[in-house]
């Protein structure tokens, strides 16, 4: 393994550890030492890669999003646009343990963003990336003739807002909301704009 490969592997290990620790104990309680121990590296090596916990948190959030988006679009050119969009919407809800972990990070970011300007900028930037991600899926379907033309920005904003709202209820364990009911409402909203079948696609 080359030096560059070892560096990438170490950063990856640290970021995964940071995601897990922040999700478990919350940002306010996290210490760099805790992440170093969880990643199996020295505190000095952790600080070499990430100057402080704020920068570590920011990169952990970005890493979490990038990993999910890359995985979901692995076969975007060979499956229907509705399936890709449904995968994205599914991933924007806390539908499995890994996504619930990601949601805990988002909730930590929301709280910090109310009091910290740097966290606020990070949150807005990440939402911009999510908006672009959903918008590209919509545009792909429109260009392929699989979706009706629509106001891509407005539909993207609406779908993200619905995912946030239902996601919070799911994280709270609200008995009035299930993953299935949330997906049904979100997809019905998308289907009405895109003129596709109202049933949530098989993933």
């Amino acid at each position: 393994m080359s030096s560059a490969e070892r560096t990438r592997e170490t950063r990856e290990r640290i970021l995964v550890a940071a995601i897990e620790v922040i999700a478990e104990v919350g940002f306010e309680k996290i210490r760099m030492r805790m992440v170093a121990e969880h990643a199996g590296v020295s505190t000095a090596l952790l600080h070499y890669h990430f100057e402080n916990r704020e920068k570590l948190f920011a990169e952990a959030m970005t890493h979490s999003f990038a990993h999910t988006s890359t995985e979901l679009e692995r076969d975007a050119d060979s499956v229907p646009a509705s399936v890709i969009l449904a995968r994205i919407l599914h991933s924007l809800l806390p539908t499995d343990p890994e996504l619930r972990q990601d949601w805990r990070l988002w909730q930590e970011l929301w709280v910090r963003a109310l009091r910290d300007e740097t966290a606020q900028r990070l949150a807005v930037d990440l939402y911009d990336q999510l908006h672009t991600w959903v918008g590209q899926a919509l545009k792909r379907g429109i260009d392929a003739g699989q979706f009706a033309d629509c106001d891509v920005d407005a539909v993207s904003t609406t779908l993200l807002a619905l995912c946030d709202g239902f996601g919070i209820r799911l994280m709270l364990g609200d008995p009035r909301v299930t993953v299935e009911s949330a997906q049904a409402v979100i997809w019905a909203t998308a289907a009405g704009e895109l003129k596709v079948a109202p049933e949530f696609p098989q993933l």
Side-chain angles (χ1 to χ4, degrees):
M1 182 183 293
S2 69
S3 175
E5 289 172 333
R6 282 196 299 272
T7 297
R8 285 195 297 271
E9 190 275 337
T10 299
R11 285 180 66 86
E12 171 78 14
R13 188 147 40 96
I14 291 171
L15 288 170
V16 170
I19 289 169
E20 293 174 353
V21 174
I22 294 169
E24 181 179 352
V25 305
F27 179 80
E28 296 305 325
K29 294 182 180 179
I30 194 175
R31 299 292 179 269
M32 296 291 271
R33 173 184 52 78
M34 297 165 63
V35 176
E37 291 176 354
H38 197 68
V41 301
S42 67
T43 304
L45 182 58
L46 175 59
H47 279 284
Y48 172 79
H49 287 283
F50 302 98
E51 182 180 346
N52 52 50
R53 65 177 190 158
E54 285 75 17
K55 290 187 177 181
L56 177 59
F57 180 52
E59 289 223 29
M61 289 293 307
T62 302
H63 177 272
S64 174
F65 167 70
H67 174 75
T68 301
S69 61
T70 300
E71 176 63 21
L72 293 184
E73 299 206 29
R74 62 191 182 280
D75 55 357
D77 295 330
S78 60
V79 299
S82 59
V83 172
I84 296 297
L85 179 60
R87 285 179 185 170
I88 291 172
L89 297 175
H90 180 82
S91 77
L92 293 175
L93 295 170
T95 50
D96 62 36
E98 185 174 349
L99 289 169
R100 288 184 69 85
Q101 178 176 268
D102 290 346
W103 258 84
R104 291 191 186 98
L105 261 68
W106 273 102
Q107 290 173 315
E108 291 291 329
L109 179 60
W110 288 337
V111 172
R112 283 188 54 72
L114 295 175
R115 304 182 180 91
D116 180 83
E117 187 175 333
T118 300
Q120 182 184 45
R121 288 196 299 269
L122 173 61
V124 171
D125 179 65
L126 288 174
Y127 266 114
D128 188 57
Q129 293 181 50
L130 288 174
H131 189 93
T132 298
W133 188 30
V134 174
Q136 287 175 341
L138 295 174
K139 289 175 184 175
R140 186 184 297 123
I142 292 169
D143 292 343
Q146 298 176 34
F147 294 160
D149 197 7
C150 66
D151 184 333
V152 170
D153 283 341
V155 174
S156 298
T157 297
T158 298
L159 294 178
L160 286 173
L162 286 170
C163 288
D164 277 350
F166 280 116
I168 291 170
R169 302 277 292 275
L170 289 168
M171 288 296 289
L172 293 173
D174 188 331
R176 294 180 178 83
V177 179
T178 65
V179 169
E180 292 75 20
S181 67
Q183 289 185 159
V185 173
I186 295 167
W187 188 258
T189 301
E193 294 285 347
L194 305 176
K195 309 307 180 194
V196 296
E199 296 81 20
F200 196 85
Q202 291 292 320
L203 304 180

